Amino acid sequence: MHRSKLSRSILLALGLVSAGGAIAADAGTAGTSSRGSHTPPTQLDAMLVTGTRASNRTQFETLAPVDVFTKQDIQSVDSTDLKDVLAQLVPSFVVQRLPMADGQVFVRPATLRGLSPDQTLVLVNGRRFHRSALLGNRGAQAADLAQIPTSAIKRIEVLRDGASAQYGSDAIAGVINIILEDSPGTEITAGYSQYAQGDGASRDFSARTGWALGDYGSLALFAESSNSDATSRTRQRPDAIAFQAAHPELQVPNPVQRWGQPELESRRVGFNLKANASDTLELYAFGLYSHSDGVSDFNWRNPDTTTGAYRTTSIFPGWNLRSLYPVGFSPQYGNTQNDLQLVAGLRGEITPKLRWDLSASYGRNAIDYSLDNSINASLGPDSPTSFDLGRLTQTEKNANADFNYEWDVAALSKPINVAFGAEFRQETYQVRAGDPASYAVGRGAAAGLEANSNGAPGFSASQAGQWSQRSKAAYVDMEVPLGERWSIGAAGRYEDFSSFGSTVDGKLSARFAITPDVALRGTLSTGFRAPTPAQLNTTSTTQGLDTRTLQIFTSGRLSPSDPLAQLLGAKPLTPEESRTASLGLTWRTDMGLSGSVDVYRITLSDRFSQSASFAIPAGTPNPLGYTSVNYFTNDFDTTTTGVDVVGNYLRDLGAGRMTLTLAYNYNQTRVDNGSTSVATNETQRVLFEDRLPEHKGSFTGSWDVGAWSLMARVRYYGKWTDSTGNATGDIYQQFGAMTFLDLAVGYRINEHHSLRVGADNVFDRYPDEATFQASRGLIYSRNAPYDTDGANVYAQYRLTF
């Protein structure tokens, strides 16, 4: 077989995968200018395959909406964190900073269409990317996009539609498919950024090199390093001011605790390999590894009011915590992550119309937690001040067998594309106990001295363990061209889980071309998200500060199978289930104007959450000193409605080329009914419905002329609501809409060297102050859906050869 025919067959074979999705090799670039004589494609002409297994689809021809972001789009955002990049590029994608929020400071929750972070499936080169080991807000366990190096990405495809029937669990809100770079050449980038207030400096370095292995494939290697200093948007706490006044002989730090981004160092490396074993057989493999270390502040402990730690007792005669921490203490929370993803596979063809793809993957995320500048007061003078809190580990193994057949039917001008296959997946979750001192209940507890490491109790021996879940799946996916105007699609998937049984999901899609350049499209689908081994089996303990009493409270989250949880009403978890309907209009013109409008409705039942908090029943042993406990549960039902608007305009302007891009999302979620926390608890319901803005959009303009490139981006966030998060008596505050302006200028010195300088939030805008959090020294809400650190100025040098 000739090489060109092999390349075509490999491109087609890439459209086979099920849980991995379909990936097109060497797909066309979207939204970029060309210095040649031909007319560049509009954005909707970009070749893609996420959401379809047909090999010849373009973005304009898909049956569901797909956004394609090129390498140039990714590089237009000054961040090495992929979550920040997507937050600026995808209108319905929101990510929060969450300072001083335990593990979520480092594994930040990111949502698509306002749904849970783990209701969006993440793929890399079309293969399922593993979850983080962290269980975040309401127990969500999602993939951590920050572990993927942005410098290694060729493009990103975002399917904005339910796709569980095609890809399996988690694809309720949509699918984010990260395509790794595979082209030859070398690119080295060095960057520096800093906030206008003088903190948060970030030093970034990345290198990528690729080789064409003759006629036999390609190899790309990448490495990335980032070192970010902490930020602080903090005022001195009122009680710290009062403490200083009462103790003028002491020097109290100002501020006593820091609200802002953590100190963070990250290192990431990877490879992407394709090798032709014969004219009809290709080997492919890729791997990603990352390591990061971070430190964040916790709430300050006031010696005059933190009686649980500063109490004196005859059990420890002569010992007083004031001798160790005379001005109080703010524990330092440490996070060390190691993340690995490895994928290998073979693909080829049985006949030119029947192709196959076999692959296996291994993913692992391990998080080690530590706590410094703390105490286990119940141990008195025997307590250390630094603690190993333990480790969380998520491991996933996947095996896929996928086939694709082009079925010629005499009555049809084009063949029917039939894809089918099977998948096996195993998830394992492990909790390793921390230092015994981090969870010990010492003899001082009998006198009221608090047990456990103060700030974040370690994982105890009783919490430690390892749990697994296996699933088997089979699917079929068809796309039928009914003439020049109509095309329809249907997909079905059966999946069986060892923990709770089986589920069947389906999807119907249709597209009608009103004219060659205007089309209607729509989908109907069902979906699901399976509970994970971590959600089914683990327990945790957290501490917080009540903004009214300024007292530390300790909350326990129990496994649904825990006897105490069952006593309080816990039942076995079942999958979340969804029904999605969407209808859209898409268009393109010869004048460079293209776009789409898509409306959608997503109904979700048995949504996963934490139950309401319960007091410990009288007489029940409470060695960990819980103020309250809750458990994971299938809690409530919701309906999400929204609209996505995307527009793109390309035209020559003077001696250069101008690109204008509009992206807007309206998204509203309402709680329909339920039995526990979100449906019946006013605080939970308000936060669930209103904590994220319903309106989010951006307008980006760029102009490339000669060696210069100019970019301006306006970002808009609608109003949203936050609360104190008190154990009881929550206080609400509504925050108004915010608009930010980002500017950047690039200059190409020659074919190898280029410079870029710019600023995000040029006018140094801040949201309303969080008055309800003033007692903690917090100025701006930590739950804001945007960066609250002000203007960020950056410079970047790039070398290519």
Side-chain angles (χ1 to χ4, degrees):
M1 180 183 292
H2 193 270
R3 287 288 176 198
S4 62
K5 186 176 181 181
L6 173 63
S7 298
R8 177 180 176 274
S9 68
I10 290 173
L11 175 63
L12 294 173
L14 282 170
L16 302 178
V17 298
S18 61
I23 302 304
D26 300 322
T29 301
T32 59
S33 62
S34 171
R35 298 189 181 278
S37 59
H38 67 282
T39 301
T42 65
Q43 184 177 353
L44 292 184
D45 283 327
M47 180 68 78
L48 63 108
V49 290
T50 304
T52 177
R53 293 184 174 86
S55 63
N56 58 350
R57 290 292 185 195
T58 68
Q59 188 176 3
F60 176 70
E61 296 170 336
T62 55
L63 279 67
V66 182
D67 293 324
V68 178
F69 300 103
T70 67
K71 190 177 188 70
Q72 290 80 7
D73 296 326
I74 297 166
Q75 291 176 345
S76 73
V77 181
D78 176 51
S79 178
T80 59
D81 189 327
L82 184 54
K83 293 180 180 178
D84 291 330
V85 173
L86 288 170
Q88 291 203 24
L89 297 179
V90 181
S92 62
F93 190 89
V94 176
V95 62
Q96 298 167 284
R97 279 288 179 192
L98 297 181
M100 210 180 297
D102 298 351
Q104 293 186 112
V105 175
F106 306 100
V107 184
R108 297 181 295 148
T111 65
L112 186 68
R113 289 184 163 178
L115 300 183
S116 176
D118 55 4
Q119 290 170 346
T120 298
L121 178 63
V122 175
L123 311 174
V124 176
N125 278 359
R127 296 299 187 265
R128 179 183 288 265
F129 190 70
H130 58 275
R131 308 176 195 276
S132 167
L134 175 71
L135 274 69
N137 187 28
R138 288 189 291 273
Q141 189 182 6
D144 184 10
L145 288 161
Q147 303 302 321
I148 301 172
T150 57
S151 60
I153 300 174
K154 182 176 184 177
R155 72 180 185 277
I156 303 172
E157 299 174 357
V158 180
L159 170 64
R160 295 180 276 111
D161 193 42
S164 292
Q166 298 165 292
Y167 298 95
S169 179
D170 306 349
I172 292 176
V175 180
I176 298 174
N177 194 358
I178 312 298
I179 313 300
L180 298 180
E181 186 64 78
D182 59 359
S183 59
T186 298
E187 183 174 274
I188 299 173
T189 304
Y192 179 85
S193 65
Q194 188 175 55
Y195 285 95
Q197 291 200 18
D199 58 4
S202 179
R203 295 155 289 275
D204 306 313
F205 176 83
S206 66
R208 179 196 63 82
T209 187
W211 302 272
L213 304 177
D215 292 333
Y216 299 99
S218 63
L219 173 64
L221 303 176
F222 11 86
E224 193 171 275
S225 171
S226 179
N227 188 331
S228 301
D229 295 340
T231 63
S232 179
R233 302 296 176 265
T234 316
R235 293 194 182 104
Q236 184 67 302
R237 283 173 48 158
D239 60 333
I241 296 174
F243 179 80
Q244 178 70 87
H247 302 276
E249 74 282 4
L250 300 176
Q251 186 64 43
V252 179
N254 186 4
V256 290
Q257 68 187 57
R258 180 184 54 79
W259 291 96
Q261 299 179 33
E263 298 177 19
L264 186 63
E265 293 186 8
S266 301
R267 307 288 183 270
R268 308 180 186 99
V269 296
F271 73 93
N272 190 19
L273 171 68
K274 298 176 183 178
N276 300 327
S278 71
D279 284 349
T280 58
L281 184 65
E282 183 188 60
L283 165 70
Y284 60 91
F286 70 86
L288 299 171
Y289 173 77
S290 68
H291 172 84
S292 62
D293 288 290
V295 177
S296 175
D297 276 20
F298 269 6
N299 284 301
W300 178 62
R301 274 60 176 166
N302 185 332
D304 285 351
T305 60
T306 312
T307 57
Y310 281 89
R311 185 188 306 270
T312 57
T313 170
S314 59
I315 296 177
F316 302 120
W319 182 77
N320 189 329
L321 190 56
R322 290 177 187 266
S323 62
L324 181 62
Y325 298 126
V327 295
F329 62 99
S330 175
Q332 302 292 292
Y333 189 63
N335 174 296
T336 298
Q337 283 199 69
N338 288 283
D339 193 276
L340 174 67
Q341 177 87 1
L342 292 172
V343 174
L346 286 169
R347 54 191 165 219
E349 63 179 37
I350 299 173
T351 71
K353 292 186 178 295
L354 179 59
R355 294 164 296 278
W356 57 271
D357 191 322
L358 302 177
S359 65
S361 67
Y362 174 86
R364 181 178 183 270
N365 178 261
I367 307 176
D368 290 274
Y369 293 112
S370 62
L371 196 69
D372 295 325
N373 200 49
S374 183
I375 197 76
N376 183 336
S378 71
L379 297 177
D382 297 327
S383 172
T385 58
S386 296
F387 302 86
D388 171 12
L389 302 181
R391 173 185 294 172
L392 303 177
T393 305
Q394 170 78 8
T395 304
E396 299 181 25
K397 301 174 184 177
N398 290 268
N400 293 84
D402 304 281
F403 301 86
N404 199 76
Y405 178 62
E406 292 183 12
W407 179 20
D408 289 318
V409 177
L412 300 176
S413 60
K414 296 180 181 179
I416 298 173
N417 195 85
V418 182
F420 56 95
E423 177 190 35
F424 172 81
R425 184 165 78 252
Q426 177 176 297
E427 292 188 52
T428 301
Y429 195 76
Q430 184 176 21
V431 178
R432 176 183 62 79
D435 293 335
S438 70
Y439 58 86
V441 181
R443 56 196 179 98
L449 287 169
E450 292 175 340
N452 315 309
S453 49
N454 200 297
F459 302 116
S460 67
S462 63
Q463 292 175 305
Q466 179 172 298
W467 306 272
S468 293
Q469 175 176 269
R470 296 172 300 282
S471 67
K472 298 172 288 185
Y475 75 93
V476 62
D477 190 352
M478 301 177 63
E479 292 191 21
V480 184
L482 301 176
E484 294 299 320
R485 292 193 172 191
W486 277 102
S487 57
I488 60 173
R493 184 183 183 91
Y494 168 84
E495 194 150 358
D496 182 73
F497 289 81
S498 59
S499 298
F500 55 82
S502 61
T503 180
V504 178
D505 290 279
K507 182 172 184 176
L508 296 174
S509 307
R511 181 181 184 275
F512 177 72
I514 302 171
T515 73
D517 295 319
V518 179
L520 282 171
R521 62 191 178 194
T523 66
L524 293 171
S525 65
T526 63
F528 74 102
R529 191 202 64 80
T532 68
Q535 294 165 341
L536 290 165
N537 298 285
T538 64
T539 64
S540 69
T541 302
T542 58
Q543 289 185 332
L545 182 73
D546 190 294
T547 62
R548 285 177 165 168
T549 66
L550 296 183
Q551 293 298 305
I552 302 297
F553 58 85
T554 304
S555 302
R557 193 265 302 153
L558 308 179
S559 163
S561 60
D562 185 280
L564 177 56
Q566 293 180 342
L567 175 66
L568 297 172
K571 297 179 181 179
L573 294 177
T574 60
E576 299 173 306
E577 297 183 347
S578 68
R579 297 185 302 278
T580 300
S582 68
L583 180 65
L585 176 71
T586 182
W587 66 88
R588 61 184 178 183
T589 70
D590 293 335
M591 298 183 297
L593 178 64
S594 60
S596 63
V597 177
D598 293 274
V599 295
Y600 56 88
R601 178 183 174 91
I602 305 168
T603 58
L604 269 160
S605 59
D606 296 327
R607 291 199 64 167
F608 187 78
S609 185
Q610 291 181 189
S611 72
S613 294
F614 301 93
I616 305 298
T620 303
N622 188 17
L624 295 179
Y626 289 133
T627 309
S628 61
V629 297
N630 54 45
Y631 50 81
F632 289 146
T633 180
N634 293 103
D635 186 27
F636 60 107
D637 305 335
T638 62
T639 298
T640 297
T641 55
V643 58
D644 288 318
V645 179
V646 177
N648 192 66
Y649 181 51
L650 302 176
R651 64 161 295 170
D652 293 329
L653 181 65
R657 173 154 287 263
M658 178 186 69
T659 303
L660 300 177
T661 302
L662 170 70
Y664 166 77
N665 171 256
Y666 167 77
N667 192 86
Q668 181 190 77
T669 296
R670 291 292 178 259
V671 176
D672 297 327
N673 54 69
S675 58
T676 55
S677 63
V678 173
T680 61
N681 182 289
E682 178 68 8
T683 295
Q684 291 294 320
R685 186 191 61 77
V686 169
L687 293 183
F688 190 86
E689 294 182 346
D690 300 329
R691 177 164 282 184
L692 297 179
E694 292 183 348
H695 300 269
K696 181 174 180 279
S698 65
F699 182 77
T700 304
S702 62
W703 186 39
D704 297 320
V705 53
W708 293 91
S709 62
L710 309 175
M711 190 277 291
R713 176 181 290 123
V714 177
R715 293 178 284 129
Y716 174 81
Y717 298 81
K719 64 182 181 180
W720 58 285
T721 300
D722 201 3
S723 78
T724 55
N726 288 341
T728 59
D730 259 321
I731 305 170
Y732 302 102
Q733 182 176 345
Q734 186 178 90
F735 295 87
M738 287 290 295
T739 302
F740 303 100
L741 174 64
D742 309 328
L743 297 175
V745 178
Y747 179 70
R748 190 177 65 256
I749 301 172
N750 54 40
E751 62 177 327
H752 299 300
H753 305 273
S754 62
L755 295 172
R756 189 170 189 265
V757 296
D760 292 340
N761 188 5
V762 170
F763 296 119
D764 199 27
R765 297 199 64 205
Y766 294 87
D768 299 334
E769 294 191 7
T771 56
F772 62 87
Q773 297 279 15
S775 61
R776 296 203 282 182
L778 178 67
I779 300 178
Y780 309 108
S781 172
R782 64 174 179 172
N783 295 310
Y786 37 70
D787 188 353
T788 60
D789 288 320
N792 186 51
V793 182
Y794 61 89
Q796 192 178 78
Y797 163 76
R798 179 170 287 114
L799 169 66
T800 58
F801 56 92

